[in-house]
Amino acid sequence: MDFATEREAMVTLLRQRQDVSEPVAEAMRAVPRHLFVPGVDPGEAYQDGPIVTKRDADGLPISSSSQPAIMAIMLDQLGVEPGHRVLEIGAGTGYNAALLARLAGPDGRVVSVDIDEDLAAQAREHLAAAGESGVEVVCADGAGGHPGLAPYDRLIATVGVWDLAPAWLEQLKPDGRLVVPLDLRGVQVSVAMEREDGHWVSRSVAPCGFMRMRGPYAGPEVLTVLRRDPELMLGLPERRELGDVLAALDAVPTEITTKVEEPAPGPVIGMGMSMWLALHEPRWCVLSGQTPTGPTMTVGIAEDDSIAVLAAEDFLVARGHGAGGARLAAELAGHVTAWDEAGRPHAGDLRVVAYPGQADAGAPEGIVIRKRHTTLVVSLRRGR
């Protein structure tokens, strides 16, 4: 079966929820996603959700077919035009590369690089099954790019990156554009960047969430399994020593109800608050899984053997656990108030500037985040 009706329904749903350009919509109508996830029911293949395709020895997902909604956003950020030469970091299933090939047309070239040989081989098989011959899949560490076909008009990473690899910037044309899920102290945003006066400036920013890059260019993020059954995980932007957070979570919390209404009450705290904590609170954390109050994916502050996390009811509530829980809850509630008073900024309110090396000269006012190869300066426009 062709499943053209299912593809059209997927595109229609996406366009009801977000802006999708006609070139990207047409590429999604044309490329059969179900051929890139064999073994998955075609009905699921055309839902707007990610599909995990590989896990590591601990059962954590390390590769997937990304959610179509974020794929459409990033493809529109990238702005591929017919005849463009495109480099993709992270081949995955090959589906995104096929979309890129459709956008670049018969006169364009797409190179997709993946660190895992099995994934690269599968991507080639999937592309062949879909009749897509305009993609070259290379097994290599994507941090090195692919100099053989440089320079490129566009570069996109479909894996979370902690830093901008020098090879990517070197292999792009002077007027080239890159789109990457960039880590900002543990929070990812899809940033479209172009050169400007010797540095890189964001043209658009959108929220996203991708599996992290592996290999020498992996970032310092840490994901710790606090409990396996039921599963509960703690994510930190970088390694730091903590006490028995799990035991603290089992204790009765101290609750502080803020005056900030949560627009969508539920178990998942919004990206705006997560981003604010990441940029302003070095002790911030992400808690996901099953807690005594039910399933959750929330943010908070962890220190020593204490933790405070947010809950979304009619208002945002800070719940502090452990010996220092009351203090952390008060501090967390303070961050919620500050975020609200700033206009509840979200990813789209960010401006990100990347300077090569550790340079500070000429940097605009903002929050400085130092990476291995670049220095980021992040500034916020007022929300609302």
Side-chain angles (χ1 to χ4, degrees):
M1 294 178 62
D2 181 59
F3 295 100
T5 301
E6 286 77 5
R7 291 198 293 279
E8 182 62 48
M10 179 183 74
V11 171
T12 298
L13 178 64
L14 292 179
R15 299 189 102 172
Q16 289 172 350
R17 296 174 174 173
Q18 64 192 60
D19 291 331
V20 181
S21 70
E22 185 54 36
V24 170
E26 187 55 39
M28 289 186 143
R29 292 189 189 103
V31 177
R33 189 187 188 207
H34 68 280
L35 295 181
F36 293 84
V37 284
V40 173
D41 183 89
E44 182 182 348
Y46 293 109
Q47 297 299 309
D48 183 28
I51 299 173
V52 174
T53 55
K54 185 176 181 178
R55 296 178 181 271
D56 65 12
D58 295 323
L60 296 175
I62 57 174
S63 187
S64 71
S65 178
S66 302
Q67 181 183 8
I70 187 58
M71 296 174 80
I73 289 171
M74 293 177 70
L75 289 172
D76 272 325
Q77 285 183 294
L78 192 63
V80 175
E81 297 178 4
H84 270 175
R85 185 168 291 192
V86 184
L87 175 62
E88 179 187 46
I89 309 302
T93 66
Y95 175 60
N96 196 69
L99 296 174
L100 291 169
R102 289 280 177 166
L103 293 167
D107 296 327
R109 289 288 300 274
V110 175
V111 180
S112 188
V113 182
D114 203 287
I115 195 169
D116 287 345
E117 180 57 56
D118 60 333
L119 293 179
Q122 289 172 18
R124 295 186 194 104
E125 293 173 3
H126 300 159
L127 288 160
E132 184 54 69
S133 59
V135 179
E136 178 183 354
V137 181
V138 176
C139 180
D141 186 341
H146 187 66
L149 288 176
Y152 298 94
D153 299 281
R154 299 286 188 267
L155 183 149
I156 184 170
T158 56
V159 61
V161 304
W162 187 73
D163 196 4
L164 301 180
W168 300 347
L169 310 184
E170 293 165 2
Q171 292 172 24
L172 271 169
K173 292 181 179 179
D175 60 349
R177 182 185 302 166
L178 64 86
V179 173
V180 297
L182 185 61
D183 179 283
L184 302 179
R185 293 181 180 166
V187 163
Q188 287 181 6
V189 290
S190 176
V191 185
M193 307 191 85
E194 294 178 350
R195 283 188 180 90
E196 185 177 296
D197 298 329
H199 52 270
W200 291 79
V201 179
S202 63
R203 301 305 183 204
S204 65
V205 182
C208 70
F210 280 79
M211 296 171 193
R212 309 285 178 161
M213 196 167 184
R214 292 174 284 135
Y217 274 73
E221 313 88 15
V222 177
L223 184 63
T224 302
V225 178
L226 298 178
R227 185 181 59 219
R228 291 196 176 275
D229 188 19
E231 188 174 74
L232 186 64
M233 296 186 291
L234 184 72
L236 303 174
E238 58 187 7
R239 189 172 299 281
R240 64 179 188 265
E241 291 299 320
L242 294 175
D244 194 346
V245 172
L246 182 60
L249 285 166
D250 289 334
V252 176
T254 298
E255 293 195 353
I256 299 177
T257 301
T258 73
K259 297 181 180 180
V260 178
E261 292 185 65
E262 169 57 31
V268 179
I269 301 299
M271 172 68 176
M273 190 63 232
S274 303
M275 185 190 70
W276 180 271
L277 274 182
L279 295 176
H280 295 90
E281 176 52 72
R283 300 165 298 168
W284 92 284
C285 65
V286 179
L287 185 71
S288 60
Q290 287 288 337
T291 67
T293 57
T296 189
M297 183 171 181
T298 187
V299 294
I301 304 173
E303 182 181 74
D304 299 327
D305 59 354
S306 303
I307 187 170
V309 294
L310 287 176
E313 298 175 355
D314 292 335
F315 296 88
L316 286 174
V317 178
R319 291 176 175 159
H321 303 258
R327 173 178 53 84
L328 294 184
E331 294 178 13
L332 183 57
H335 281 296
V336 172
T337 300
W339 171 67
D340 184 60
E341 292 177 345
R344 299 192 182 192
H346 53 82
D349 297 315
L350 288 180
R351 182 175 188 267
V352 183
V353 182
Y355 294 86
Q358 301 296 312
D360 285 325
E365 183 178 350
I367 298 167
V368 177
I369 302 176
R370 298 195 182 280
K371 306 285 188 173
R372 296 189 189 104
H373 301 285
T374 55
T375 297
L376 304 182
V377 180
V378 182
S379 54
L380 280 168
R381 298 186 291 271
R382 285 189 67 86
R384 281 201 304 226

